[in-house]
Amino acid sequence: MSEPLSDSALDQLFRTARTYNGYHAKPVSDVQLHAIWDLMKFGPTSANCLPARIIWCTSDAAKQKLAALAMPANAEKILAAPVTAIIGMDLEFYEKLPELFPHADARSWFVGNDELTKATAFRNSSLQGAYFILAARALGLDTGPMSGFNNDAVDGEFFADQPGVKSNFISTLGYGDPATIFERSPRPDFGRFNRIA
């Protein structure tokens, strides 16, 4: 049975963690990107479908290309960040299910069912995006998840060789600069948005 995490760990993951708009000029290594994936891949997804496909924009060329497809305020963040990750979703994820979920014929649940496939890909790639954020925080990094970009254009530029993959959201990544964050927005108590039935 697992033990509760320490207060300092909970602070790092949730309570004092923030969404950053800018970063210190400290590089993020490929080893760290692998380490993020090696944590986030263990987060649960439906039938272990793992639909997220990530492009890690680390080069100036990749960041320039992505920034050109984002709204101006987000373009500035992309260009200034050490890394920006494009969290995509594979709408043909079910083709990997014989390997990823060998316990049942899960592929047959999705073949020909576009509505279920799209909903599953979006929901679970969004979950994996949240795991990405938590994995980065656990490893001492900060993130700045965002929309505000042209999804179709990003798909054409970055996923052209994978026509079944569509972008979900993007996130900057690095060592956050506290000078770039706002005062924390409200986080209501349990009773405001919850009820126990």
Side-chain angles (χ1 to χ4, degrees):
M1 180 177 291
S2 299
E3 294 294 324
L5 295 177
S6 67
D7 272 343
S8 62
L10 294 174
D11 286 344
Q12 182 170 329
L13 291 175
F14 294 103
R15 293 190 290 234
T16 60
R18 300 296 305 276
T19 294
Y20 282 83
N21 297 304
Y23 299 88
H24 294 295
K26 182 177 178 181
V28 176
S29 69
D30 289 357
V31 170
Q32 289 171 293
L33 305 185
H34 283 259
I36 291 171
W37 172 256
D38 284 337
L39 285 177
M40 64 177 281
K41 69 184 180 183
F42 289 108
T45 55
S46 302
N48 197 38
C49 63
L50 297 169
R53 304 290 180 264
I54 305 175
I55 293 182
W56 308 82
C57 297
T58 61
S59 69
D60 287 340
K63 289 188 278 187
Q64 289 278 357
K65 186 161 58 171
L66 180 59
L69 306 175
M71 60 189 294
N74 288 346
E76 292 177 14
K77 298 174 188 177
I78 292 165
L79 293 173
V83 180
T84 297
I86 305 170
I87 312 294
M89 52 184 168
D90 187 357
L91 298 176
E92 297 174 356
F93 66 85
Y94 51 82
E95 296 295 355
K96 306 285 193 301
L97 287 178
E99 171 196 354
L100 298 176
F101 195 74
H103 322 290
D105 181 17
R107 179 182 179 275
S108 67
W109 306 342
F110 298 97
V111 174
N113 191 335
D114 289 346
E115 185 176 349
L116 178 62
T117 296
K118 288 177 183 176
T120 302
F122 181 71
R123 179 183 306 112
N124 288 279
S125 66
S126 298
L127 280 172
Q128 287 188 274
Y131 305 147
F132 155 85
I133 293 168
L134 291 176
R137 289 175 175 178
L139 294 169
L141 293 159
D142 300 297
T143 62
M146 64 182 93
S147 48
F149 63 96
N150 185 323
N151 288 79
D152 290 338
V154 166
D155 297 346
E157 285 288 344
F158 289 92
F159 294 116
D161 61 336
Q162 297 174 280
V165 179
K166 305 297 179 188
S167 53
N168 185 337
F169 70 95
I170 62 179
S171 179
T172 53
L173 175 70
Y175 295 92
D177 179 356
T180 67
I181 58 176
F182 309 112
E183 185 177 344
R184 185 183 285 283
S185 298
R187 297 297 196 273
D189 289 336
F190 184 92
R192 179 87 179 276
F193 296 136
N194 298 268
R195 99 188 136 100
I196 298 173

